[in-house]
């Protein structure tokens, strides 16, 4: 693959850079998300009939890279864009596609992901939330945890157990749940950073219409796998761009604080080299995505590499600051802890890489 921008891509990048320079807001929010959408920078690879641009993945990669470069706030619909939308496109009915996709892009409706439970995290097949199929609806009872954006979400992609006698991957069903339905209660959880970005969701006799079934009854595991592949697979370029901005800040801090310290210079140079390695991994994933249209397991490499490196890098910055919190690095260090847990812990990602990328035997 030629890694340079084609003339069309270079023109697209320049236009986007100018637009970002003129429009960058201080705060994230629905207004900013809508502005991004109106300018044509959301849903680049999504079909035009659902509000997308029908553009190649390389344009999507450019948008993620450039937004991260200037540290632009994210579109609010992170879960809708990265997970719910691609899953609905792969498994949804035509009615579901028409009903939900365009509103994800415009941020009119926000989504959350109800997969994890107190007894099911890495081992997602352990979910126990009950889904009972009645004539014209499903009734859901159970508890979800760590659901990002649930406090502002309109809909939830929810995985539950429809066959009470089933074990593990079989007997699971995947539903779209209206977060405003009676019986849905959201309780925010406070993180180590002090923010409350994620939540517990309690579901008591929640009635979900039949048409909100995604895939088959009992076929929820296959649908959930599509969600997880997209969760890690399309994230790489945003992560590479964010890391590039972070390494840039680290270099500035080194110049201010420890410019003559040979050991620190050595460690900073190592971080820059690691950043280049991540960028090339991302190019490899992009090539595969452009060839197959489906993110491969390489997405796990990017997520693991970025989250571990970012955590190490924030520690190095705090070391240079002698523990003094300058308002930026202190927060970054605390937030980086969650990054090695969400979307697959580092241990679980190493297992995936060993098995699916390297072809080693299963660990259990
Ligand atoms: C910031 C943040 C946002 C999140 N957002 C969401 C969300 O929106 N929706 C949602 O559903 N979930 C969300 N999660 C939950 C996340 O997916 C889980 O925390 C994650 O899957 C780990 O599950 P767990 O917390 O139950 O830990 P456990 O699975 O109990 O793991 C505990 C420890 O055991 C290790 N471990 C587990 N299994 C293995 C194994 N097979 N081999 C080696 N080590 C292993 C883990 O690496 C970890 O160190 C979020 C989490 C965070 C931190």
């Amino acid at each position: 693959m030629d890694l340079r921008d084609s003339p069309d891509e270079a023109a697209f990048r320049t236009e986007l850079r100018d637009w970002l320079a003129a429009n960058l807001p201080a705060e994230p929010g629905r207004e900013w998300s809508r502005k991004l959408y109106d300018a044509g920078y959301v849903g680049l690879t999504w079909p035009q009939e659902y509000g997308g641009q029908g553009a190649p993945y390389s344009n999507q990669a450019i948008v993620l890279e450039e937004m991260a470069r200037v540290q632009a706030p994210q579109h609010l619909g992170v879960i809708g864009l990265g997970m719910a939308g691609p899953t609905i496109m792969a498994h949804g009915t035509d009615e579901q596609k028409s009903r939900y996709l365009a509103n994800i892009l415009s941020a009119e409706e926000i989504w959350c992901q109800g997969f994890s439970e107190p007894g099911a995290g890495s081992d997602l097949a352990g979910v126990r939330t009950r889904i009972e199929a009645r004539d014209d609806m499903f009734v859901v009872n159970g508890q979800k945890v760590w659901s990002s954006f649930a406090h502002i979400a309109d809909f939830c992609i929810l995985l539950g157990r429809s066959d009470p006698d089933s074990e593990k991957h079989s007997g699971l069903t995947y539903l779209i749940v209206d977060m405003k339905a009676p019986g849905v209660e959201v309780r925010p959880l406070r993180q180590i950073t002090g923010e409350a970005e994620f939540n517990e969701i309690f579901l008591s006799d929640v009635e979900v219409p039949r048409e909100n079934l995604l895939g088959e009854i009992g076929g929820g595991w296959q649908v959930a796998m599509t969600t997880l592949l997209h969760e890690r697979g399309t994230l790489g370029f945003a992560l590479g761009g964010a890391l590039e901005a972070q390494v840039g800040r680290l270099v500035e801090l080194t110049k201010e604080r420890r410019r003559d310290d040979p050991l620190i210079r050595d460690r900073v140079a190592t971080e820059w080299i690691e950043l280049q390695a991540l960028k090339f991994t991302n190019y490899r994933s992009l090539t595969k995505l452009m060839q197959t249209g489906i993110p491969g397991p390489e997405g796990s490499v990017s997520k693991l590499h970025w989250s571990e490196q970012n955590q190490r890098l924030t520690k190095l910055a705090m070391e240079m600051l002698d523990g003094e919190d300058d308002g930026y690095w202190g927060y970054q260090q605390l937030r980086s802890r969650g990054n090695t847990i969400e979307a697959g812990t580092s241990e679980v990602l190493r297992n995936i890489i060993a098995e699916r990328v390297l072809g080693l035997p299963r660990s259990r």
Side-chain angles (χ1 to χ4, degrees), residues 160-267:
R161 193 163 294 280
S162 48
D163 177 356
D165 300 324
S166 66
E167 291 275 336
K168 296 282 178 188
H169 310 86
S170 64
L172 298 173
T173 292
Y174 196 119
L175 297 179
I176 296 172
V177 175
D178 181 348
M179 293 295 285
K180 310 276 181 329
V184 176
E185 189 196 339
V186 175
R187 293 189 202 155
L189 291 167
R190 202 156 290 287
Q191 292 156 256
I192 195 173
T193 53
E195 298 163 312
E197 290 178 319
F198 55 22
N199 308 266
E200 291 175 297
I201 307 176
F202 294 87
L203 302 123
S204 317
D205 289 327
V206 178
E207 295 182 359
V208 178
R210 270 275 161 162
E211 68 253 25
N212 286 20
L213 171 68
L214 208 47
E216 306 287 324
I217 296 179
W221 185 255
Q222 289 73 9
V223 186
M225 286 307 102
T226 302
T227 308
L228 296 187
L229 264 185
H230 282 275
E231 178 173 24
R232 292 173 203 138
T234 44
L235 216 66
F237 273 82
L239 303 182
L243 197 62
E244 185 149 30
Q246 203 77 315
V247 170
R249 275 181 180 256
L250 187 73
V251 171
E252 289 311 310
L253 184 68
T254 314
K255 285 180 188 161
E256 275 168 35
R257 296 266 177 158
R258 304 281 274 272
R259 56 184 309 134
D260 299 319
D261 184 330
L263 295 180
I264 293 283
R265 290 161 64 113
D266 221 53
R267 286 163 70 189

Side-chain angles (χ1 to χ4, degrees), residues 297 300-301 304 347-363:
S300 296
V301 181
L304 174 67
E347 291 76 19
V348 165
L349 295 181
R350 285 191 192 94
N351 282 346
I352 292 175
I353 293 164
E355 288 165 22
R356 295 207 219 134
V357 180
L358 303 179
L360 295 174
R362 282 182 66 83
S363 56

Side-chain angles (χ1 to χ4, degrees), residues 73-322:
Q74 282 184 326
H75 184 286
L76 263 191
V78 180
I79 307 265
L81 292 173
M83 290 178 252
T87 309
I88 291 170
M89 274 189 268
H91 299 277
T93 60
D94 288 343
E95 289 74 30
Q96 288 169 338
K97 290 176 193 170
S98 313
R99 165 64 189 84
Y100 298 113
L101 294 177
N103 285 352
I104 290 177
L105 297 178
S106 62
E108 237 146 275
E109 287 168 344
I110 303 298
W111 288 66
C112 66
Q113 178 196 18
F115 278 24
S116 305
E117 295 182 5
S122 302
D123 187 11
L124 183 59
V127 297
R128 301 251 52 106
T129 288
R130 276 178 290 128
I131 298 181
E132 191 193 327
R134 299 218 183 126
D135 294 343
D136 56 345
M137 65 163 120
F138 300 96
V139 178
V140 184
N141 280 285
Q143 185 197 342
K144 295 290 172 180
V145 71
W146 318 126
S147 299
S148 308
F149 304 102
H151 55 299
I152 55 164
D154 300 285
F155 293 101
C156 178
I157 39 175
L158 179 133
L159 188 66
R161 193 163 294 280
S162 48
D163 177 356
D165 300 324
S166 66
E167 291 275 336
K168 296 282 178 188
H169 310 86
S170 64
L172 298 173
T173 292
Y174 196 119
L175 297 179
I176 296 172
V177 175
D178 181 348
M179 293 295 285
K180 310 276 181 329
V184 176
E185 189 196 339
V186 175
R187 293 189 202 155
L189 291 167
R190 202 156 290 287
Q191 292 156 256
I192 195 173
T193 53
E195 298 163 312
E197 290 178 319
F198 55 22
N199 308 266
E200 291 175 297
I201 307 176
F202 294 87
L203 302 123
S204 317
D205 289 327
V206 178
E207 295 182 359
V208 178
R210 270 275 161 162
E211 68 253 25
N212 286 20
L213 171 68
L214 208 47
E216 306 287 324
I217 296 179
W221 185 255
Q222 289 73 9
V223 186
M225 286 307 102
T226 302
T227 308
L228 296 187
L229 264 185
H230 282 275
E231 178 173 24
R232 292 173 203 138
T234 44
L235 216 66
F237 273 82
L239 303 182
L243 197 62
E244 185 149 30
Q246 203 77 315
V247 170
R249 275 181 180 256
L250 187 73
V251 171
E252 289 311 310
L253 184 68
T254 314
K255 285 180 188 161
E256 275 168 35
R257 296 266 177 158
R258 304 281 274 272
R259 56 184 309 134
D260 299 319
D261 184 330
L263 295 180
I264 293 283
R265 290 161 64 113
D266 221 53
R267 286 163 70 189
V268 173
T270 303
E271 296 305 344
W272 185 85
I273 293 165
E274 289 285 332
L275 167 67
Q276 308 313 310
L278 176 65
K279 282 173 143 184
F280 288 110
T281 302
N282 286 339
Y283 281 123
R284 258 200 307 279
S285 301
L286 180 64
T287 310
K288 184 102 164 257
L289 192 59
M290 289 179 80
Q291 284 163 355
T292 63
I294 303 167
E298 298 81 3
S300 296
V301 181
S302 294
K303 196 273 178 176
L304 174 67
H305 186 134
W306 163 76
S307 57
E308 292 279 328
Q309 186 179 353
N310 191 39
Q311 207 171 88
R312 196 173 59 234
L313 192 148
T314 59
K315 274 193 199 149
L316 176 54
M318 288 307 282
E319 213 178 298
M320 283 196 244
L321 288 165
D322 278 330

